[in-house]
Amino acid sequence: MTAEPLEIYLEQRDVERGLRQDVRTGLTAEPKWLPPKWFYDSRGSELFEEITRLPEYYPTRAERAVLARHAADIAALTGAKTLIELGSGSSEKTRLLLDAFASRGGLGTFVPLDVSASALLGSTARIAADYPGLRVRGIVGDFTRQLDRLPTGGRRLVVFLGGTIGNLLPAERAEFLAAMRAALEVGDWLLLGTDLVKDPSVIVPAYDDAAGVTAEFNRNVLRVINRELGADFDPEAFAHIALWDPEREWIEMRLRATRAMTVRVLDLAVEFAVGEELRTEVSAKFRPAGIAAELDTAGFAATEFWTDPDGLFGVTLARAR
């Protein structure tokens, strides 16, 4: 079976408008910031894939270990007819779930949602070829804006992996989970991957590896802005910083100006002082009770919580009530 034509709810002009708005808002804020979604052009995606293979970067391996151990449980507990993946990318880890559902039978449709049409074209074609009895419907959309476009009917399982929810600030997380619940029916399921609070000596190197790959990934956001908006950032004039915030229990990635400079972007002249920092990512770490509480507030009941053998990463199965 071939994948169905992509359903496009996010046009390139929407992406360009969003980038301009985020750059204008973030670079005129005090302190300055940019959202992490702009890391991911083709080069940024390649760098992130490289990051996931680094010895310091535990989340991908730990989450995969959880899914490998519990995919059959997830298939049995949910009995889902439709599997929806948010921010799907290559859907590599999701294949563990697809295999489990294929062994059990009953899953009819797989719906990956991603902002990248090119990534979806490749991944949906491969999945349709590898799972010939499965209907594959790719959706080009932003999971913070297009949840109302998810297919309805049947018992649904929405999968949101990789700890990506940690990139949302607390108010944004609450808004996202509420929108997620509004898009689902009572009895539908949510599978949520969350990185867990642990010793900073484990967390920080995952965002500041010895080989410098994460530093290049961080600076890539400046290259994206240069290319897309005609800006004149000098990426090499910014040092990569990764800091653990013990109060908020999150890691922050920042870019620190190594010299004073004026950057021209859009109609702005953005001043950077020596040592001034631009926040590019927040990655929150969670505790099991906190995850359950946030889900409960949004209208979900957490029914299962699994971790890898080292307790590094958590996967929660929750049901819409």
Side-chain angles (χ1 to χ4, degrees):
M1 185 181 295
T2 58
E4 297 184 5
L6 297 182
E7 300 170 31
I8 299 176
Y9 301 113
L10 186 68
E11 301 282 355
Q12 184 58 32
R13 63 177 178 271
D14 301 319
V15 176
E16 293 166 358
R17 186 184 308 117
L19 176 60
R20 288 194 299 271
Q21 181 177 324
D22 285 345
V23 167
R24 183 178 298 279
T25 303
L27 293 185
T28 56
E30 185 59 46
K32 297 179 178 69
W33 57 270
L34 290 168
K37 65 182 177 181
W38 302 116
F39 289 134
Y40 295 97
D41 64 348
S42 59
R43 176 60 177 153
S45 297
E46 289 172 3
L47 285 167
F48 184 72
E49 286 300 315
E50 191 175 341
I51 288 169
T52 65
R53 297 188 291 270
L54 293 169
E56 298 96 331
Y57 195 80
Y58 62 85
T60 301
R61 291 188 295 274
E63 186 178 45
R64 172 176 276 281
V66 177
L67 293 175
R69 185 170 183 178
H70 294 289
D73 300 325
I74 293 162
L77 287 166
T78 64
K81 305 300 181 187
T82 299
L83 176 61
I84 300 165
E85 183 179 16
L86 305 182
S88 56
S90 64
S91 297
E92 183 182 345
K93 283 178 289 192
T94 313
R95 286 173 174 264
L96 295 168
L97 295 173
L98 292 175
D99 289 343
F101 276 105
S103 296
R104 185 179 185 277
L107 186 69
T109 305
F110 175 55
V111 184
L113 181 148
D114 199 90
V115 296
S116 171
S118 59
L120 275 176
L121 279 171
S123 65
T124 55
R126 289 189 295 271
I127 289 169
D130 293 343
Y131 301 88
L134 191 65
R135 182 184 181 196
V136 181
R137 294 176 55 186
I139 294 179
V140 180
D142 183 334
F143 63 73
T144 64
R145 294 169 48 201
Q146 266 97 30
L147 292 178
D148 59 335
R149 301 292 191 171
L150 299 181
T152 59
R155 184 175 296 179
R156 293 173 292 174
L157 167 62
V158 176
V159 175
F160 193 32
L161 299 175
T164 305
I165 195 168
N167 295 145
L168 304 177
L169 297 175
E172 295 170 333
R173 284 203 306 270
E175 184 179 349
F176 165 77
L177 288 171
M180 184 75 263
R181 175 61 189 88
L184 297 179
E185 302 290 338
V186 171
D188 284 338
W189 297 86
L190 172 65
L191 188 72
L192 183 65
T194 47
D195 198 2
L196 301 179
V197 174
K198 62 190 73 67
D199 194 297
S201 66
V202 176
I203 297 172
V204 174
Y207 296 84
D208 193 12
D209 62 278
V213 181
T214 309
E216 277 305 295
F217 176 69
N218 196 5
R219 283 189 284 264
N220 192 63
V221 72
L222 304 182
R223 296 187 174 95
V224 170
I225 294 169
N226 282 350
R227 184 184 66 245
E228 298 298 328
L229 300 181
D232 61 357
F233 275 104
D234 176 4
E236 300 309 315
F238 288 84
H240 167 68
I241 306 295
L243 293 174
W244 172 247
D245 185 327
E247 292 185 11
R248 296 184 175 95
E249 296 189 319
W250 68 39
I251 194 99
E252 286 194 17
M253 289 208 317
R254 303 176 185 175
L255 291 168
R256 179 182 292 164
T258 59
R259 58 177 172 82
M261 68 191 92
T262 301
V263 175
R264 302 198 176 276
V265 55
L266 300 172
D267 56 356
L268 304 173
V270 183
E271 302 288 342
F272 283 89
V274 177
E276 184 176 355
E277 293 177 346
L278 167 67
R279 190 184 75 195
T280 54
E281 182 177 86
V282 163
S283 183
K285 309 307 170 188
F286 296 85
R287 299 179 185 271
I291 299 164
E294 290 192 37
L295 288 167
D296 179 68
T297 298
F300 291 94
T303 62
E304 300 288 342
F305 178 79
W306 300 293
T307 69
D308 60 286
D310 295 321
L312 299 174
F313 199 95
V315 175
T316 303
L317 183 63
R319 197 168 197 181
R321 60 167 199 270

